[in-house]
Amino acid sequence: MTITLYGIPNCDTVKKARTWLAAQQIEFTFHDFKKQGLERATVEAWLAQLPWDVLVNKKGTTWRALSDERKASTVDAASALALMLENPSIIKRPVLDKDGQFSVAFSDAQYKTLFSL
């Protein structure tokens, strides 16, 4: 099983997911997309499985700081892809890659289901 957790280390939800995985003794790689960046292919893979409006965090401060024009122009996967690559902080966190299956956000119940615990 290959697991990568994408996010930023100071995000509270990412911290909870990392703590949960460690407590379950599940090995994973953490990818800090602020420091390590994001490949276009990675975000495209996410978008192949997940709706763009699930990946784009419209409740966060990054979204609220965007111009009204930029918000209005984010209407599909292609425009969301460009926005996420330009500004990774807009991505709802964390994104979990478990053997090529992707999940967004964190809750104890969600991860128990994902890992069949």
Side-chain angles (χ1 to χ4, degrees), residues 64-111:
R64 290 193 299 266
L66 294 175
S67 69
D68 289 340
E69 294 81 15
R70 188 61 193 265
K71 290 177 191 174
S73 70
T74 306
V75 295
D76 58 17
S79 57
L81 172 66
L83 178 62
M84 288 185 278
L85 290 173
E86 175 186 316
N87 198 342
S89 295
I90 202 82
I91 299 168
K92 186 167 185 165
R93 302 176 294 267
V95 177
L96 179 77
D97 175 353
K98 180 180 173 248
D99 295 327
Q101 296 297 310
F102 305 109
S103 172
V104 177
F106 168 79
S107 75
D108 184 66
Q110 172 192 8
Y111 273 40

Side-chain angles (χ1 to χ4, degrees), residues 16-32:
K16 289 175 187 174
R18 292 174 79 176
T19 299
W20 189 94
L21 290 166
Q24 306 306 316
Q25 299 179 336
I26 296 171
E27 289 187 33
F28 66 98
T29 301
F30 179 67
H31 183 100
D32 179 345

